[in-house]
Amino acid sequence: MTHRTSPSGSDQPLDTAYDTALLDLDGVVYTGGDAIAHAVDSLAAAGSDGMRLAYVTNNAARTPETVAEHLTRLGVPADAEDVITSAQAVARLIADHVPAGSKVLAVGGEGLFAALRERGLQPVESADDSPAAAVQGYGPELRWSQLAEMAHAVNAGVPWFASNTDLTIPSARGIAPGNGAAVEVVRIATGGSPQVAGKPLPPMHRETVLRTGAKRPLVVGDRLDTDIEGAYAGGVDSLLVLTGVTKPADLIAAEPHHRPTYVAADLRGLLVAHPSVEWDGSRATCGGWTATASGGSLDLTGSGETADGLRAVCCAAWSLADSASSDLDPSKALARLGL
């Protein structure tokens, strides 16, 4: 794909420009057990405008039914078939590699066990059960002994899989260790590397397309290294919302494969047109803002919507990323925006 040097504009609201929103959950729709501000109303409006809402999560702990029930309680009506998890993606990946009915050593939550059974595989808990594969998925009640069983299996030559390798996960109390942290423990004990299904890798994209049938999808996420990179790898457009892991400074410093098509503060960004950013070779303008590089820093002048100012700063930073001025300090510009 061509390297993106600026967030894109859209003359029409995104919920009418795309047929399906492939929405991440943690950090986008909710954090912990609570809905993120504006998420419920924005999703209801997008659905009313005809956009299909599909929920695509790297969190393998819960079943699609449980996730759908949670969303419905929050005021976002959803059915199990609207939810696609990395557990489903890794279960399909394993089923492609082992005989039907095989035993699989599984460490994770009920979502992983249910996904394995859906593919005709038999979850087991011990490396002594002669598993044909071993798989790790996020589980909040993870025990050290389970990691030991995984290490024993991998060291014995059992093929190793992981639902995803996100090192962190948002929670109501802040950022917490994700499945990737547990995978690293087993990697240290074995020296091996698992086959990974979750975002940003192809198995998750394949699972999502198979289950949604999306023709003009828009990936919506809060993480550059999973949601946005996955969209880039899949050749589809993306919307980054700043309600989760990614902070404005991270976005400004993003590598080409981590640059989203669109940027918004939250899910209200689905419901509006996005202004274009103009770059003349030395300055970027968007709305009432102008971003320039000066004295080793990014400067911002003007006024208007905060998101427009951030788009202008991103354009200036990304456009200059391959030049001698690539290490520009964005702190002055972000302070101007109150970010």
Side-chain angles (χ1 to χ4, degrees), residues 162-250:
S163 63
N164 68 295
T165 52
D166 295 9
L167 291 174
T168 62
I169 187 171
S171 75
R173 298 173 62 191
I175 301 300
N179 190 55
V183 169
E184 285 303 308
V185 172
V186 177
R187 193 194 307 273
I188 291 168
T190 65
S193 295
Q195 295 186 60
V196 182
K199 297 179 284 186
L201 296 171
M204 191 69 183
H205 183 71
R206 177 179 66 153
E207 192 71 22
T208 300
V209 170
L210 287 172
R211 289 180 180 263
T212 65
K215 303 300 183 185
R216 290 181 293 116
L218 178 70
V219 170
V220 184
D222 69 307
R223 298 185 69 113
L224 301 178
D225 60 347
T226 55
D227 306 311
I228 306 308
E229 184 177 338
Y232 180 91
V236 299
D237 289 347
S238 60
L239 167 67
L240 179 81
V241 292
L242 297 170
T243 48
V245 169
T246 299
K247 306 305 179 189
D250 303 323

Side-chain angles (χ1 to χ4, degrees), residues 5-50:
T5 57
S6 173
S8 293
S10 174
D11 292 335
Q12 62 186 110
L14 300 185
D15 64 348
T16 60
Y18 298 88
D19 69 342
T20 306
L22 305 180
L23 295 133
D24 185 44
L25 289 171
D26 290 315
V28 175
V29 180
Y30 55 64
T31 298
D34 300 322
I36 288 172
H38 310 296
V40 174
D41 291 344
S42 297
L43 292 173
S48 296
D49 288 340

